[in-house]
Amino acid sequence: MDEGIEVTFDTSKLVKALDAMPAKMQRKHLRAGVKAGAQPILKRMQAKCPVEHESPTPKSTALGPGVLKASLRVKITSGKNGVTAMIGAPE
């Protein structure tokens, strides 16, 4: 027999506190939360990113060793539809 653990939280006080915050403060904390959630994904991408150790051939358009890995970033945008995290290399 498989027994699970059930955890219940009363979030009514938290919801009231969040609703009482000014909209600017809500956006600030939401952006911070989304960015914090994106950091483990960025770290994993950097860990799995290939690093080319061979020197490029003449007239090659290949990136140098470690350039892609070093360019990975998290960009947070907010708009009408909420807050979004874009994780990867810039365009």
Side-chain angles (χ1 to χ4, degrees):
M1 181 152 69
D2 187 21
E3 293 185 28
I5 297 173
E6 184 177 323
V7 179
T8 306
F9 294 100
D10 179 13
T11 59
S12 60
K13 291 181 182 179
L14 176 63
V15 170
K16 285 180 184 179
L18 288 173
D19 288 341
M21 279 186 189
K24 187 174 181 179
M25 188 182 293
Q26 288 178 10
R27 279 193 307 275
K28 176 183 172 186
H29 290 291
L30 183 58
R31 287 175 63 95
V34 169
K35 186 169 185 174
Q39 291 302 319
I41 298 168
L42 175 66
K43 296 296 181 196
R44 183 71 174 157
M45 287 175 69
Q46 288 172 334
K48 295 190 77 63
C49 188
V51 178
E52 185 64 44
H53 294 289
E54 297 176 11
S55 48
T57 58
K59 297 184 182 179
S60 172
T61 58
L63 298 173
V67 172
L68 176 61
K69 186 175 188 173
S71 70
L72 294 177
R73 301 279 184 268
V74 173
K75 181 179 179 183
I76 306 297
T77 58
S78 57
K80 291 184 274 184
N81 297 327
V83 178
T84 305
M86 291 182 271
I87 308 166
E91 292 182 27

